[in-house]
Amino acid sequence: MSSKEQRPRWTQTWLGGVRSAGVDLGYPGERLGLPEEGSGSVARFGRRFGALVIDWLICTWAIAQALLRINPAESPWVPVAIFAVQYLLLVGFLGQTFGHRLMNIRVAAMDGGRPRWFPVLVRTILLCLAVPAVIFDRDQRGVHDRVSNTVVVRM
C-alpha cells in the first residue's frame, strides 16, 4: 500500500459507519425507485418528526383537553387512543394526517397509491408503540413502514 493511498482507521469505520469506509449506499429511496429530491422522494426525519409533534399536540391539547375536558396527566391513555383513531381515519381515508399535510408529506403504499385499511391499522398500532418508529433502515422506513409495506414521501 502506497503512502498516498490511505485506508480509514478501524475506529473511523466503526464510529462513522460503512459510508466512512468508502461504501456508497446511495440516497434514501434509491432502492425503492424513488427520486432523490422533490415530490415523491422519501420524507426525511425532520418532516416526519414535525408531523408527529403536530398530530400529538392536536390530540393532547385540542381534542383531549379542550374538547373532551380530560386531563392527560390523569388519563395518559386517552391521548394515545385519540391519536390512534385520528391516525387510522385520516391516513385510511386521505393518506395523511393534519401534521403530514402541514409538513407536506403523505403515507403511500409501495405502488405509489393510498395504503389499504389493514396496513394502515397495523401501521397505526406499531406507531402507537413508538419503538418500531425509531428503528429505521437506510431508506428512512421505520419498522411500522416496512411491516405495512408503506413509505412516507414528500408531496
Side-chain angles (χ1 to χ4, degrees), residues 1 4 22 34 37-38 47 50 55 61-62 67 69 73 76 89 97 104 109 116 122 126 129 132 134-135 150 154:
M1 183 173 199
K4 291 183 180 180
L34 300 174
E37 290 294 325
R47 287 178 187 263
D55 288 333
W61 289 348
L67 190 64
R69 306 270 185 224
L89 292 175
T97 63
N104 207 28
R116 300 189 188 281
V122 171
L126 291 174
L129 294 175
V134 297
I135 302 170
T150 59
R154 292 176 58 186

Side-chain angles (χ1 to χ4, degrees), residues 43-74:
R44 301 301 198 271
F45 177 77
R47 287 178 187 263
R48 294 179 71 155
F49 185 73
L52 182 66
V53 168
I54 291 168
D55 288 333
W56 186 252
L57 291 175
I58 289 171
C59 293
T60 303
W61 289 348
I63 298 174
Q65 287 184 340
L67 190 64
L68 300 177
R69 306 270 185 224
I70 296 173
N71 183 358
E74 294 172 4

Side-chain angles (χ1 to χ4, degrees), residues 72-123:
E74 294 172 4
S75 303
W77 60 270
V78 172
V80 177
I82 294 169
F83 179 83
V85 169
Q86 72 93 21
Y87 199 90
L88 181 65
L89 292 175
L90 292 175
V91 173
F93 280 117
L94 306 173
Q96 61 186 177
T97 63
F98 297 120
H100 288 153
R101 182 69 187 150
L102 290 172
M103 297 305 290
N104 207 28
I105 59 177
R106 69 180 178 91
V107 178
M110 290 306 294
D111 63 4
R114 195 170 36 105
R116 300 189 188 281
W117 281 100
F118 185 70
V120 171
L121 175 65
V122 171
R123 189 177 198 283

